[in-house]
Amino acid sequence: MRCSVNIPNLGDFADPRVVGEIARLAEDAGWDGLFIWDHLIGYNRDLVGEFAATNILLAAAALATNRIRLGTQVTPVPRRRAHQLAREIATLDRLTGGRMILGVGLGDPVENEYGRFDEPTDFKVLAALLDEGLEAITLLWSGEPVTFHGRYVTVDDVIMRPTPVQRPRVPIWVGGHWPRKAPARRAARWDGAVLTIGPWEQPPDPDVIAEMHAYTQAHRDEAGLGDEPFELVVGGATPGNTATTRDIVGPLAAAGATWWDERFPFDSLGRFDAVRARVEQGPPTLG
């Protein structure tokens, strides 16, 4: 079980220098990863705050660290140009020396982050944009000539170099909400699942994680991917007490989870001091 810290791209963390500092602290304290939200305006008037461009925040984290994995949770691919996103993530992967993870999803809330900019809000359209975007992105990462004609995404005889450091691609983790099955099936086709369950900071029930693990594994087996590595990410808030965190995380690891993602209550998740206090206590341990 590897452990990451999850921060938003808002509040104190809208400052790249603050993100660089929390990334350095996380690495020094023994965490394995840092993941950053990719919101544009969030919930608008229900959550008014300062936001920053996630990939620029990741660049700051990359320059402040040498070991931990870095990534998004999650990037709404349908509201991004696939070719531009491919270029940005490849650049970040090279900057980190091959430490990037691309978390992807439809994005939320759709009515604000799409609708207020006259972007599509139909979930079927967004799902198609996500699937076509991922196909185009991974083809472009090959460094070979790419022609792709989807319903919404087109690439016409393009070579995009340099490629990411990681081969055959930067790992792609798919987000969504369990027990909705479509995001889980999509995740099973890629490299990992980041499926939220219940309240944001509440650790999930191990029985639910076992069910999720069985479902994604069955679909990977059907696709001939059963023997390939696959990450199952779960998350919530834990105290710094070692025995208590072991009791929370241990059963989740036994149920099939491979990453614990440390999350913070909504009243403190954008505050550097609150996040720093938990980060400096170090990650949960199973020993």
Side-chain angles (χ1 to χ4, degrees), residues 2-6 26 31-35 69 73 173 233-234 236 259-264 283-284:
R2 285 179 283 182
C3 299
S4 58
V5 174
N6 186 297
W31 297 83
D32 301 297
L34 176 76
F35 296 101
R69 303 302 296 262
Q73 282 199 21
W173 294 358
V233 184
V234 301
W259 276 80
W260 171 261
D261 192 44
E262 187 71 27
R263 299 167 183 172
F264 299 87

Side-chain angles (χ1 to χ4, degrees), residues 64-116:
T65 58
N66 296 294
R67 175 186 58 81
I68 61 173
R69 303 302 296 262
L70 302 170
T72 60
Q73 282 199 21
V74 294
T75 292
V77 174
R79 68 167 170 78
R80 307 287 286 275
R81 296 282 189 177
H83 49 279
Q84 184 65 35
L85 184 58
R87 173 65 81 198
E88 291 173 6
I89 298 301
T91 301
L92 283 167
D93 198 53
R94 297 183 72 83
L95 179 61
T96 62
R99 294 185 283 130
M100 271 296 297
I101 294 168
L102 176 60
V104 301
L106 299 185
D108 191 56
V110 167
E111 63 274 16
N112 284 344
E113 302 226 325
Y114 291 89
R116 292 182 185 274

Side-chain angles (χ1 to χ4, degrees), residues 234-247:
V234 301
T238 61
N241 179 280
T242 302
T244 303
T245 56
R246 186 185 304 123
D247 290 342

